Amino acid sequence: MLHHRTVKEQYEQAAARDQLKILIVGAGIAGVTAAQLLRKDGQYPVLIERHAGNSHPGYMLALMPMVDSALNDLGVRDEYRENSTALKSYGFHGHKGKLIREDSMSAILDRYGDYRGIARGELLDVLTLGGCDVAFDTTVTRIAEMDGGTQVTFQSKDETRQFAFDLVIIADGIHSSTRKLVMGDLPVDIVNTKWGGWVVWAPEDDNMGLGEELWGAGFFYGVYPVKGKLGVFLGGAIDDTQKGPAKFVSEVQKKLTVINPRMQSCLNEVAQTPDAFFWSLDDCRCLQWAFGNTILLGDAAAGFLPTAGIGAGMAIESAWVLSRMLRYADGGNTGALLKAYEKAQRPRVEAAQKTSRGLAKIMFRQSRLLAALRDLSMRLVSVEMALGPIQKLVADRPDPDSLAKRALEK
């Protein structure tokens, strides 16, 4: 679990025991994974979070087998399985609600490892079993590379402090405020779909291995099982969702000719949850991750649209690759390791992100004619075909130890 501990308290412990003083900015999935892996290796990175507590409203995640290595290294694979649900099949509904096809996900991904649904809060609890120190309500206001290390200025409530680090990992999300401090005026490639939607929870049912999606004309509906409940997303163009969830649900229902019991239950939950978490569907891609002894990680480096269900998995994999490579760091070679990490991992992440962006162009459509044509094509395209590039990434696992050794041989 996450426990508040000030930057000063964490830094004093790190300075007393670590050869390499590390700062991690952001206690989301990527930042926590990196912190816990480094701590498992005997390091004590300082971890900070801008929010006042672990108050994220949460949403559902589908995690592919690329996360297994990190979970194994942390020793929490069994706990992960106990707190998640196996995703066995995927159902695709046409734009009027009729089920067009149902494909086995087990047949596609089981050969590589687990494919499971889990709530974000449950995942953080699994990752932080045994405890995880973090300084809440703390931000970075300045980062300066100097001869004696990287000087970082922190702001926490009414207190300002400054400490020196050998490595800074920026993992504070897609809208990172820290990223600008090292990137300056370098551009960030952003895709703004001008769509968004609500995330709510619905009661579990008798088919908890089935995830479903409906790509409508002007809306998108998805239901994704996690342990004990169903994660539901309903979204559309921002101009339409501004009418509120109840009104939007009413308009969606008018476009459907087939509404099965699960769909009706989930739509009711959206309509009746006025304080539902609203997810703006945009992403970002930074064209450079490594800056001296500072590195971007997770959504701060490449934030994903949720269309391929792989963003969180890539964030965990990236944290694992980075932390394993840092086993070879001695202070003097940190910059070289970070460059090698970026060279190897950025193409993988961007390949996955390309798939997410490509699916978004197909899914987020207003035209009924295009939606009908899309239905016809989806009768012929299996999930296995659609996720072909993702399967290649899952099958071709990175080898961080070899990457680090090659980088240090040069």
Side-chain angles (χ1 to χ4, degrees), residues 33-34 37-38 41 69-70 72-74 316-329 337 341 398-405:
T33 302
L37 286 167
L38 289 167
D41 283 343
S69 296
N72 287 337
D73 278 5
L74 287 174
I316 292 173
E317 180 193 271
S318 294
W320 174 73
V321 173
L322 177 61
S323 65
R324 285 289 287 259
M325 293 183 69
L326 289 175
R327 290 178 175 180
Y328 300 85
L337 288 170
Y341 161 76
D399 184 349
D401 296 287
S402 295
L403 291 171
K405 291 174 182 177

Side-chain angles (χ1 to χ4, degrees), residues 11 26 32-33 37-38 53-54 86 100 112 123 146 179 200 212 265 306 314 333 339 342 351 356 390 397-399 405:
Y11 187 83
V32 164
T33 302
L37 286 167
L38 289 167
N54 188 24
I100 289 180
Y112 306 116
L123 177 59
M146 306 181 72
R179 182 174 59 206
V200 301
E212 297 181 281
S265 173
M314 291 306 299
N333 60 15
K339 289 180 180 178
E342 177 184 351
S356 295
I390 301 298
R397 306 287 179 93
D399 184 349
K405 291 174 182 177

Side-chain angles (χ1 to χ4, degrees), residues 72-145:
N72 287 337
D73 278 5
L74 287 174
V76 297
R77 180 79 172 275
D78 290 342
E79 289 80 3
Y80 165 66
R81 292 176 63 86
E82 290 172 6
N83 289 278
S84 59
T85 297
L87 299 177
K88 299 178 181 178
S89 56
Y90 168 80
F92 177 80
H93 295 256
H95 74 288
K96 292 187 177 181
K98 182 180 179 180
L99 180 66
I100 289 180
R101 65 181 304 137
E102 183 175 324
D103 294 324
S104 170
M105 297 301 292
S106 299
I108 299 171
L109 291 172
D110 275 5
R111 73 196 80 165
Y112 306 116
D114 288 325
Y115 180 48
R116 306 184 70 85
I118 188 169
R120 181 182 184 274
E122 295 291 343
L123 177 59
L124 283 173
D125 286 346
V126 168
L127 293 173
T128 57
L129 284 175
C132 177
D133 290 337
V134 55
F136 287 115
D137 196 18
T138 303
T139 58
V140 171
T141 59
R142 184 172 181 267
I143 297 176
E145 294 274 356

